[in-house]
Amino acid sequence: MAFVNLTNVTYKYPLTQTPALQNINLRVEEGEFVALIGPNGAGKSTLCYTLAGFVPHFFKGELTGSVEVAGMQTNQSSLHEWVLNAGLVFQNPFNQISGAKYTVFEEIAFGLENIGVPRDEMKVRVEEAMRLTGISDLADRSPYSLSGGQQQRVALTSILVMQPKVLVLDEPTSQLDPIGTREVFGVIRTMAERGMTVIMAEHKVEWIANFADRVIALHEGQILLDGTPREVLTSDILLDKGFGISRYTSVARRARTLGLWKREGLPVTLEEAAEGFKNA
Amino acid sequence: MNDRLSFYRKRNSPVHALNPFTKLILVSALIFYGLTAKGFWTATLMVAFVLLPLALASKLLKEYVGVALKVILPTAGFMFVMQSVFIPGGTTEIFRLGFISVELETVQRSYLIASRIFLFISAFVLLLLTTHPSELMSDLTRRGLPPQFAYVIISTLQIIPQMQAKAQTIIAAQRSRGLDTESSFFKRAGLLVPLVGPLVFGSLVEVEERAIAIEARGFTSTRTKTFLHDIPDTPADKFIRWTLTLFIIISLAARLWLS
Ligand SMILES: Nc1ncnc2c1ncn2[C@@H]1O[C@H](COP(=O)(O)OP(=O)(O)OP(=O)(O)O)[C@@H](O)[C@H]1O
Ligand SMILES: [Mg+2]
């Protein structure tokens, strides 16, 4: 039995006709880093909400099939218990600030207060989590005074401190500048290297190619492709469907039709492209 | 952006060391007494002989006087003048300006009301200056206030400056698209309609996202909450609270008895 197990998951938002997710079957092993890609409206966010228990506990509607993490099922558990199974970080860093706390340290402790962690343990866990994500120096700042990248790392730390079994991220860098993006991806990579199971919706394909173990392409609520980053990100199947495609892949694909790309597979990153063209 | 979104000023003082609930009771007792006492000068004397010494003891005299002069005095002063001039009803005319006559009785009544408002606001200002809002809320939650209630209060306190900043951004954006926000009031009022959409609709989406964010942090957990800050509640605190409560009860009883 895999760590994360989705079996025949179909979901419709309330008052909608077409399902946002259709017959999703997905198994993720412990420690795997899976990236979800897909055009707008493909169902990436919906899948993230489903993994994190917000479908069906927060968004009502019609869910069939089963969602299982570490042997527990979402529909047999309450949302506030489920947050210890799967932690969710989403796009807008500002809206993830609780608004109830005056310092970053307090903000990160908020979740632990809610689940009743004793004070001494709470402090140790908050400090440790901040060290891990490299934000110890922000401890006494107001969460509102931070840059987007810093706020998103605070949001990430606030979830990590609760020690969820799976980390679910919905385009965590889509509203950040390049510096913020690098900071946040740095933290996510650290977590993945420490063996955390990570499922991340993301459209920055070059980052995915560098980080993820596996990529799943979603299209109109269904899984279109599931494989290694190279297989999926360079597949011709993604063409003309609105997927984000690496410009290096596009260049090499074009070069291939002109006989200028001689390698078997197509590149995703600048390095691979440079390498491929050098030997051409 | 402003790093300090609360009134709170940290000091090492006996007032700061009081339990937040004790301070809330203290402020409530002061206000209750000030608003119900019959004496004409009671509220004024309480400001001078209770609030000022408390501000001094909190090592915040300068801050307190600053707020009092810049915010509270103009507010109370404005009400005093308006009521003195426009509310009729007295018999002893002090002076007359055209059709407006100012009577001694109205002036006295207006002063009484203004001095009570002054007391009311400044007692709260003192509470906010000496009490960290999240400690007050943690303490009240621990005493049984529903966490949702505490959350709404404290996030509202924090969100006001955020909303102002956002309105500024939207205005700037609309103006750059040609919206005139600088001409006459009525023209502006009509033209500001485009501002309402983004502010309200944006807020609804934000409310949903924020609800998700705090749910993700176990806000509705049924476990007994714990608190990061240890908020001391000493025997002295309990003594002060009981004394104040008793004092209020006795003064109420005395008033009922004597009337
Ligand atoms: N709250 C909602 N109520 C009704 N329908 C919704 C809701 N949220 C999303 N949908 C619909 O569900 C489908 C999947 O949306 P979803 O937000 O999961 O896509 P996405 O892949 O995250 O897109 P994006 O790249 O824009 O973030 C879309 O057709 C969308 O219109
Ligand atoms: Mg989305």
Side-chain angles (χ1 to χ4, degrees), chain A residues 11 13 20-21 36-55 59 88-91 168-172 174 200-202 218 221, chain B residues 209 212:
Chain A
Y11 173 69
Y13 280 100
L21 296 177
L36 301 172
I37 60 168
N40 289 339
K44 304 181 295 294
S45 298
T46 310
L47 186 53
C48 288
Y49 289 142
T50 306
L51 287 162
F54 287 87
V55 167
F59 295 98
L88 175 70
V89 175
F90 52 88
Q91 294 167 284
V168 181
L169 306 142
D170 186 7
E171 302 194 42
S174 65
M200 174 171 76
E202 183 54 63
L218 276 178
Chain B
E209 286 201 347
I212 292 175

mmCIF file of all heavy atoms in Angstrom, chain A residues 11 13 20-21 36-55 59 88-91 168-172 174 200-202 218 221, chain B residues 209 212:
data_model
loop_
_atom_site.group_PDB
_atom_site.id
_atom_site.type_symbol
_atom_site.label_atom_id
_atom_site.label_comp_id
_atom_site.label_asym_id
_atom_site.label_seq_id
_atom_site.Cartn_x
_atom_site.Cartn_y
_atom_site.Cartn_z
ATOM 1 N N TYR A 11 -14.616 14.454 -8.596
ATOM 2 C CA TYR A 11 -15.161 15.510 -7.744
ATOM 3 C C TYR A 11 -15.793 16.628 -8.561
ATOM 4 O O TYR A 11 -15.222 17.100 -9.544
ATOM 5 C CB TYR A 11 -14.064 16.095 -6.842
ATOM 6 C CG TYR A 11 -14.524 17.308 -6.068
ATOM 7 C CD1 TYR A 11 -15.465 17.190 -5.051
ATOM 8 C CD2 TYR A 11 -14.054 18.575 -6.381
ATOM 9 C CE1 TYR A 11 -15.920 18.310 -4.360
ATOM 10 C CE2 TYR A 11 -14.487 19.701 -5.692
ATOM 11 C CZ TYR A 11 -15.433 19.552 -4.686
ATOM 12 O OH TYR A 11 -15.880 20.651 -4.010
ATOM 13 N N TYR A 13 -17.497 20.492 -7.996
ATOM 14 C CA TYR A 13 -17.806 21.595 -7.098
ATOM 15 C C TYR A 13 -19.324 21.768 -7.045
ATOM 16 O O TYR A 13 -20.011 21.387 -8.003
ATOM 17 C CB TYR A 13 -17.174 22.898 -7.609
ATOM 18 C CG TYR A 13 -15.707 23.035 -7.280
ATOM 19 C CD1 TYR A 13 -14.730 22.748 -8.233
ATOM 20 C CD2 TYR A 13 -15.302 23.462 -6.025
ATOM 21 C CE1 TYR A 13 -13.377 22.881 -7.944
ATOM 22 C CE2 TYR A 13 -13.947 23.596 -5.732
ATOM 23 C CZ TYR A 13 -13.000 23.301 -6.683
ATOM 24 O OH TYR A 13 -11.670 23.432 -6.381
ATOM 25 N N ALA A 20 -14.407 18.658 -11.729
ATOM 26 C CA ALA A 20 -13.091 19.297 -11.730
ATOM 27 C C ALA A 20 -12.000 18.238 -11.685
ATOM 28 O O ALA A 20 -10.876 18.460 -12.127
ATOM 29 C CB ALA A 20 -12.974 20.245 -10.536
ATOM 30 N N LEU A 21 -12.331 17.069 -11.120
ATOM 31 C CA LEU A 21 -11.413 15.923 -11.142
ATOM 32 C C LEU A 21 -12.195 14.719 -11.649
ATOM 33 O O LEU A 21 -13.335 14.501 -11.234
ATOM 34 C CB LEU A 21 -10.879 15.619 -9.741
ATOM 35 C CG LEU A 21 -10.008 16.680 -9.064
ATOM 36 C CD1 LEU A 21 -9.650 16.215 -7.654
ATOM 37 C CD2 LEU A 21 -8.747 16.950 -9.869
ATOM 38 N N LEU A 36 2.879 18.562 -10.041
ATOM 39 C CA LEU A 36 1.665 18.533 -10.857
ATOM 40 C C LEU A 36 1.727 19.689 -11.829
ATOM 41 O O LEU A 36 1.928 20.826 -11.417
ATOM 42 C CB LEU A 36 0.419 18.752 -9.980
ATOM 43 C CG LEU A 36 0.132 17.790 -8.838
ATOM 44 C CD1 LEU A 36 -1.030 18.321 -8.003
ATOM 45 C CD2 LEU A 36 -0.210 16.425 -9.409
ATOM 46 N N ILE A 37 1.574 19.401 -13.115
ATOM 47 C CA ILE A 37 1.515 20.500 -14.075
ATOM 48 C C ILE A 37 0.178 20.457 -14.804
ATOM 49 O O ILE A 37 -0.517 19.442 -14.780
ATOM 50 C CB ILE A 37 2.676 20.465 -15.098
ATOM 51 C CG1 ILE A 37 2.645 19.165 -15.905
ATOM 52 C CG2 ILE A 37 4.023 20.617 -14.398
ATOM 53 C CD1 ILE A 37 3.569 19.182 -17.117
ATOM 54 N N GLY A 38 -0.171 21.555 -15.434
ATOM 55 C CA GLY A 38 -1.427 21.585 -16.176
ATOM 56 C C GLY A 38 -1.804 22.998 -16.520
ATOM 57 O O GLY A 38 -1.400 23.929 -15.819
ATOM 58 N N PRO A 39 -2.564 23.168 -17.601
ATOM 59 C CA PRO A 39 -3.002 24.520 -17.976
ATOM 60 C C PRO A 39 -4.001 25.076 -16.961
ATOM 61 O O PRO A 39 -4.439 24.352 -16.063
ATOM 62 C CB PRO A 39 -3.670 24.316 -19.337
ATOM 63 C CG PRO A 39 -4.022 22.867 -19.396
ATOM 64 C CD PRO A 39 -3.056 22.140 -18.529
ATOM 65 N N ASN A 40 -4.391 26.340 -17.103
ATOM 66 C CA ASN A 40 -5.380 26.935 -16.211
ATOM 67 C C ASN A 40 -6.664 26.119 -16.212
ATOM 68 O O ASN A 40 -7.145 25.732 -17.269
ATOM 69 C CB ASN A 40 -5.723 28.356 -16.646
ATOM 70 C CG ASN A 40 -4.583 29.304 -16.376
ATOM 71 O OD1 ASN A 40 -3.721 29.020 -15.543
ATOM 72 N ND2 ASN A 40 -4.560 30.402 -17.093
ATOM 73 N N GLY A 41 -7.181 25.865 -15.027
ATOM 74 C CA GLY A 41 -8.439 25.139 -14.926
ATOM 75 C C GLY A 41 -8.306 23.636 -15.071
ATOM 76 O O GLY A 41 -9.300 22.920 -15.100
ATOM 77 N N ALA A 42 -7.080 23.120 -15.104
ATOM 78 C CA ALA A 42 -6.880 21.683 -15.282
ATOM 79 C C ALA A 42 -7.291 20.890 -14.043
ATOM 80 O O ALA A 42 -7.587 19.702 -14.123
ATOM 81 C CB ALA A 42 -5.420 21.400 -15.605
ATOM 82 N N GLY A 43 -7.293 21.569 -12.886
ATOM 83 C CA GLY A 43 -7.668 20.874 -11.660
ATOM 84 C C GLY A 43 -6.517 20.712 -10.676
ATOM 85 O O GLY A 43 -6.633 19.965 -9.703
ATOM 86 N N LYS A 44 -5.433 21.437 -10.894
ATOM 87 C CA LYS A 44 -4.278 21.323 -9.998
ATOM 88 C C LYS A 44 -4.641 21.725 -8.567
ATOM 89 O O LYS A 44 -4.368 20.997 -7.617
ATOM 90 C CB LYS A 44 -3.116 22.210 -10.482
ATOM 91 C CG LYS A 44 -2.670 21.927 -11.899
ATOM 92 C CD LYS A 44 -1.513 22.811 -12.310
ATOM 93 C CE LYS A 44 -1.842 24.297 -12.389
ATOM 94 N NZ LYS A 44 -2.804 24.682 -13.432
ATOM 95 N N SER A 45 -5.272 22.919 -8.457
ATOM 96 C CA SER A 45 -5.630 23.383 -7.115
ATOM 97 C C SER A 45 -6.641 22.441 -6.473
ATOM 98 O O SER A 45 -6.540 22.126 -5.288
ATOM 99 C CB SER A 45 -6.230 24.782 -7.170
ATOM 100 O OG SER A 45 -5.288 25.684 -7.688
ATOM 101 N N THR A 46 -7.585 21.989 -7.275
ATOM 102 C CA THR A 46 -8.609 21.084 -6.740
ATOM 103 C C THR A 46 -7.959 19.804 -6.209
ATOM 104 O O THR A 46 -8.320 19.304 -5.140
ATOM 105 C CB THR A 46 -9.641 20.756 -7.832
ATOM 106 O OG1 THR A 46 -10.081 21.982 -8.414
ATOM 107 C CG2 THR A 46 -10.825 20.019 -7.259
ATOM 108 N N LEU A 47 -6.981 19.287 -6.949
ATOM 109 C CA LEU A 47 -6.300 18.077 -6.490
ATOM 110 C C LEU A 47 -5.542 18.361 -5.189
ATOM 111 O O LEU A 47 -5.545 17.547 -4.265
ATOM 112 C CB LEU A 47 -5.359 17.562 -7.590
ATOM 113 C CG LEU A 47 -4.676 16.221 -7.317
ATOM 114 C CD1 LEU A 47 -5.687 15.145 -6.948
ATOM 115 C CD2 LEU A 47 -3.861 15.767 -8.531
ATOM 116 N N CYS A 48 -4.922 19.532 -5.105
ATOM 117 C CA CYS A 48 -4.221 19.902 -3.867
ATOM 118 C C CYS A 48 -5.204 19.958 -2.687
ATOM 119 O O CYS A 48 -4.929 19.443 -1.609
ATOM 120 C CB CYS A 48 -3.521 21.251 -4.014
ATOM 121 S SG CYS A 48 -2.073 21.190 -5.077
ATOM 122 N N TYR A 49 -6.364 20.623 -2.920
ATOM 123 C CA TYR A 49 -7.377 20.700 -1.859
ATOM 124 C C TYR A 49 -7.875 19.318 -1.458
ATOM 125 O O TYR A 49 -8.171 19.066 -0.291
ATOM 126 C CB TYR A 49 -8.574 21.544 -2.319
ATOM 127 C CG TYR A 49 -8.303 23.027 -2.430
ATOM 128 C CD1 TYR A 49 -8.850 23.784 -3.463
ATOM 129 C CD2 TYR A 49 -7.505 23.680 -1.487
ATOM 130 C CE1 TYR A 49 -8.613 25.152 -3.564
ATOM 131 C CE2 TYR A 49 -7.265 25.039 -1.583
ATOM 132 C CZ TYR A 49 -7.825 25.771 -2.625
ATOM 133 O OH TYR A 49 -7.586 27.111 -2.717
ATOM 134 N N THR A 50 -7.961 18.425 -2.443
ATOM 135 C CA THR A 50 -8.452 17.081 -2.159
ATOM 136 C C THR A 50 -7.444 16.323 -1.297
ATOM 137 O O THR A 50 -7.802 15.655 -0.334
ATOM 138 C CB THR A 50 -8.712 16.327 -3.482
ATOM 139 O OG1 THR A 50 -9.568 17.126 -4.284
ATOM 140 C CG2 THR A 50 -9.357 14.989 -3.226
ATOM 141 N N LEU A 51 -6.152 16.461 -1.636
ATOM 142 C CA LEU A 51 -5.114 15.797 -0.845
ATOM 143 C C LEU A 51 -5.078 16.347 0.572
ATOM 144 O O LEU A 51 -4.839 15.632 1.528
ATOM 145 C CB LEU A 51 -3.743 16.003 -1.512
ATOM 146 C CG LEU A 51 -3.512 15.206 -2.787
ATOM 147 C CD1 LEU A 51 -2.358 15.808 -3.581
ATOM 148 C CD2 LEU A 51 -3.233 13.750 -2.449
ATOM 149 N N ALA A 52 -5.328 17.670 0.692
ATOM 150 C CA ALA A 52 -5.223 18.316 2.004
ATOM 151 C C ALA A 52 -6.532 18.243 2.788
ATOM 152 O O ALA A 52 -6.635 18.832 3.861
ATOM 153 C CB ALA A 52 -4.775 19.765 1.830
ATOM 154 N N GLY A 53 -7.545 17.555 2.244
ATOM 155 C CA GLY A 53 -8.788 17.354 2.988
ATOM 156 C C GLY A 53 -9.807 18.482 2.848
ATOM 157 O O GLY A 53 -10.905 18.385 3.389
ATOM 158 N N PHE A 54 -9.441 19.576 2.160
ATOM 159 C CA PHE A 54 -10.397 20.696 2.040
ATOM 160 C C PHE A 54 -11.557 20.315 1.118
ATOM 161 O O PHE A 54 -12.659 20.817 1.284
ATOM 162 C CB PHE A 54 -9.688 21.971 1.579
ATOM 163 C CG PHE A 54 -8.863 22.549 2.689
ATOM 164 C CD1 PHE A 54 -7.563 22.123 2.901
ATOM 165 C CD2 PHE A 54 -9.415 23.458 3.569
ATOM 166 C CE1 PHE A 54 -6.820 22.608 3.958
ATOM 167 C CE2 PHE A 54 -8.682 23.954 4.618
ATOM 168 C CZ PHE A 54 -7.383 23.526 4.818
ATOM 169 N N VAL A 55 -11.280 19.436 0.155
ATOM 170 C CA VAL A 55 -12.340 18.687 -0.514
ATOM 171 C C VAL A 55 -12.330 17.346 0.201
ATOM 172 O O VAL A 55 -11.280 16.697 0.244
ATOM 173 C CB VAL A 55 -12.014 18.494 -2.018
ATOM 174 C CG1 VAL A 55 -12.941 17.455 -2.622
ATOM 175 C CG2 VAL A 55 -12.103 19.815 -2.760
ATOM 176 N N PHE A 59 -14.766 22.613 0.834
ATOM 177 C CA PHE A 59 -15.547 22.752 -0.384
ATOM 178 C C PHE A 59 -16.502 21.574 -0.412
ATOM 179 O O PHE A 59 -16.056 20.438 -0.392
ATOM 180 C CB PHE A 59 -14.636 22.705 -1.619
ATOM 181 C CG PHE A 59 -13.684 23.855 -1.693
ATOM 182 C CD1 PHE A 59 -12.374 23.724 -1.257
ATOM 183 C CD2 PHE A 59 -14.097 25.087 -2.179
ATOM 184 C CE1 PHE A 59 -11.493 24.796 -1.306
ATOM 185 C CE2 PHE A 59 -13.226 26.160 -2.247
ATOM 186 C CZ PHE A 59 -11.918 26.013 -1.801
ATOM 187 N N LEU A 88 -1.011 22.129 3.858
ATOM 188 C CA LEU A 88 -1.223 22.830 2.586
ATOM 189 C C LEU A 88 -0.629 24.235 2.606
ATOM 190 O O LEU A 88 -0.869 25.017 3.513
ATOM 191 C CB LEU A 88 -2.731 22.931 2.302
ATOM 192 C CG LEU A 88 -3.142 23.732 1.063
ATOM 193 C CD1 LEU A 88 -2.755 22.989 -0.218
ATOM 194 C CD2 LEU A 88 -4.636 24.011 1.069
ATOM 195 N N VAL A 89 0.147 24.544 1.575
ATOM 196 C CA VAL A 89 0.645 25.908 1.374
ATOM 197 C C VAL A 89 0.145 26.342 0.007
ATOM 198 O O VAL A 89 0.240 25.571 -0.945
ATOM 199 C CB VAL A 89 2.189 25.952 1.398
ATOM 200 C CG1 VAL A 89 2.712 27.342 1.057
ATOM 201 C CG2 VAL A 89 2.706 25.513 2.761
ATOM 202 N N PHE A 90 -0.421 27.550 -0.090
ATOM 203 C CA PHE A 90 -0.926 27.948 -1.403
ATOM 204 C C PHE A 90 -0.300 29.234 -1.923
ATOM 205 O O PHE A 90 0.698 29.714 -1.384
ATOM 206 C CB PHE A 90 -2.445 27.953 -1.454
ATOM 207 C CG PHE A 90 -3.113 28.741 -0.371
ATOM 208 C CD1 PHE A 90 -3.376 30.086 -0.525
ATOM 209 C CD2 PHE A 90 -3.504 28.110 0.806
ATOM 210 C CE1 PHE A 90 -4.010 30.802 0.461
ATOM 211 C CE2 PHE A 90 -4.138 28.828 1.813
ATOM 212 C CZ PHE A 90 -4.391 30.185 1.640
ATOM 213 N N GLN A 91 -0.908 29.770 -2.989
ATOM 214 C CA GLN A 91 -0.226 30.804 -3.765
ATOM 215 C C GLN A 91 0.043 32.099 -3.023
ATOM 216 O O GLN A 91 1.154 32.590 -2.979
ATOM 217 C CB GLN A 91 -1.053 31.118 -5.026
ATOM 218 C CG GLN A 91 -1.116 29.952 -5.969
ATOM 219 C CD GLN A 91 -2.182 30.146 -7.033
ATOM 220 O OE1 GLN A 91 -3.360 29.994 -6.774
ATOM 221 N NE2 GLN A 91 -1.761 30.494 -8.229
ATOM 222 N N VAL A 168 1.751 19.530 0.814
ATOM 223 C CA VAL A 168 1.065 19.823 -0.441
ATOM 224 C C VAL A 168 1.232 21.309 -0.740
ATOM 225 O O VAL A 168 0.935 22.150 0.101
ATOM 226 C CB VAL A 168 -0.441 19.477 -0.338
ATOM 227 C CG1 VAL A 168 -1.141 19.771 -1.665
ATOM 228 C CG2 VAL A 168 -0.634 18.019 0.056
ATOM 229 N N LEU A 169 1.733 21.618 -1.934
ATOM 230 C CA LEU A 169 2.000 23.020 -2.279
ATOM 231 C C LEU A 169 1.278 23.369 -3.570
ATOM 232 O O LEU A 169 1.433 22.676 -4.572
ATOM 233 C CB LEU A 169 3.500 23.226 -2.463
ATOM 234 C CG LEU A 169 4.392 22.793 -1.297
ATOM 235 C CD1 LEU A 169 5.667 22.158 -1.806
ATOM 236 C CD2 LEU A 169 4.711 23.963 -0.406
ATOM 237 N N ASP A 170 0.489 24.439 -3.535
ATOM 238 C CA ASP A 170 -0.229 24.864 -4.733
ATOM 239 C C ASP A 170 0.430 26.115 -5.307
ATOM 240 O O ASP A 170 0.215 27.210 -4.803
ATOM 241 C CB ASP A 170 -1.700 25.129 -4.396
ATOM 242 C CG ASP A 170 -2.532 25.442 -5.632
ATOM 243 O OD1 ASP A 170 -1.996 25.331 -6.763
ATOM 244 O OD2 ASP A 170 -3.713 25.803 -5.474
ATOM 245 N N GLU A 171 1.234 25.944 -6.328
ATOM 246 C CA GLU A 171 1.963 27.046 -6.966
ATOM 247 C C GLU A 171 2.518 28.036 -5.944
ATOM 248 O O GLU A 171 2.160 29.212 -5.959
ATOM 249 C CB GLU A 171 1.064 27.770 -7.970
ATOM 250 C CG GLU A 171 0.536 26.814 -9.051
ATOM 251 C CD GLU A 171 -0.072 27.544 -10.225
ATOM 252 O OE1 GLU A 171 0.515 28.549 -10.651
ATOM 253 O OE2 GLU A 171 -1.132 27.103 -10.719
ATOM 254 N N PRO A 172 3.394 27.553 -5.068
ATOM 255 C CA PRO A 172 3.834 28.402 -3.948
ATOM 256 C C PRO A 172 4.653 29.610 -4.366
ATOM 257 O O PRO A 172 4.853 30.510 -3.558
ATOM 258 C CB PRO A 172 4.676 27.445 -3.096
ATOM 259 C CG PRO A 172 5.160 26.416 -4.061
ATOM 260 C CD PRO A 172 4.053 26.238 -5.051
ATOM 261 N N SER A 174 4.054 31.371 -7.406
ATOM 262 C CA SER A 174 3.489 32.060 -8.569
ATOM 263 C C SER A 174 3.324 33.555 -8.345
ATOM 264 O O SER A 174 3.204 34.307 -9.286
ATOM 265 C CB SER A 174 2.163 31.434 -8.963
ATOM 266 O OG SER A 174 1.232 31.635 -7.941
ATOM 267 N N MET A 200 3.551 18.996 -5.350
ATOM 268 C CA MET A 200 3.542 20.427 -5.636
ATOM 269 C C MET A 200 2.976 20.734 -7.009
ATOM 270 O O MET A 200 3.495 20.270 -8.023
ATOM 271 C CB MET A 200 4.969 20.971 -5.531
ATOM 272 C CG MET A 200 5.103 22.424 -5.954
ATOM 273 S SD MET A 200 6.730 23.124 -5.575
ATOM 274 C CE MET A 200 7.725 22.405 -6.857
ATOM 275 N N ALA A 201 1.907 21.546 -7.052
ATOM 276 C CA ALA A 201 1.432 22.075 -8.327
ATOM 277 C C ALA A 201 2.372 23.204 -8.698
ATOM 278 O O ALA A 201 2.678 24.056 -7.862
ATOM 279 C CB ALA A 201 0.008 22.594 -8.194
ATOM 280 N N GLU A 202 2.866 23.200 -9.919
ATOM 281 C CA GLU A 202 3.858 24.208 -10.279
ATOM 282 C C GLU A 202 3.923 24.316 -11.791
ATOM 283 O O GLU A 202 3.763 23.335 -12.499
ATOM 284 C CB GLU A 202 5.227 23.790 -9.712
ATOM 285 C CG GLU A 202 6.336 24.762 -9.952
ATOM 286 C CD GLU A 202 6.016 26.168 -9.465
ATOM 287 O OE1 GLU A 202 5.830 26.348 -8.250
ATOM 288 O OE2 GLU A 202 5.934 27.090 -10.306
ATOM 289 N N LEU A 218 -1.845 17.143 -15.623
ATOM 290 C CA LEU A 218 -3.305 17.117 -15.512
ATOM 291 C C LEU A 218 -3.900 17.907 -16.660
ATOM 292 O O LEU A 218 -3.388 18.960 -17.026
ATOM 293 C CB LEU A 218 -3.746 17.794 -14.217
ATOM 294 C CG LEU A 218 -3.769 17.012 -12.919
ATOM 295 C CD1 LEU A 218 -4.198 17.938 -11.798
ATOM 296 C CD2 LEU A 218 -4.714 15.828 -13.008
ATOM 297 N N GLY A 221 -9.115 17.884 -15.691
ATOM 298 C CA GLY A 221 -9.475 17.049 -14.548
ATOM 299 C C GLY A 221 -9.000 15.619 -14.614
ATOM 300 O O GLY A 221 -9.336 14.811 -13.755
ATOM 301 N N GLU B 209 -9.730 32.366 1.329
ATOM 302 C CA GLU B 209 -8.358 31.868 1.421
ATOM 303 C C GLU B 209 -7.844 31.902 2.860
ATOM 304 O O GLU B 209 -7.168 30.995 3.315
ATOM 305 C CB GLU B 209 -7.423 32.697 0.529
ATOM 306 C CG GLU B 209 -7.626 32.373 -0.933
ATOM 307 C CD GLU B 209 -6.426 32.747 -1.780
ATOM 308 O OE1 GLU B 209 -5.539 33.468 -1.279
ATOM 309 O OE2 GLU B 209 -6.386 32.319 -2.945
ATOM 310 N N ILE B 212 -9.217 29.067 4.755
ATOM 311 C CA ILE B 212 -8.472 27.843 4.456
ATOM 312 C C ILE B 212 -7.143 27.846 5.213
ATOM 313 O O ILE B 212 -6.757 26.854 5.828
ATOM 314 C CB ILE B 212 -8.228 27.722 2.930
ATOM 315 C CG1 ILE B 212 -9.559 27.474 2.225
ATOM 316 C CG2 ILE B 212 -7.237 26.608 2.632
ATOM 317 C CD1 ILE B 212 -9.467 27.452 0.714
#
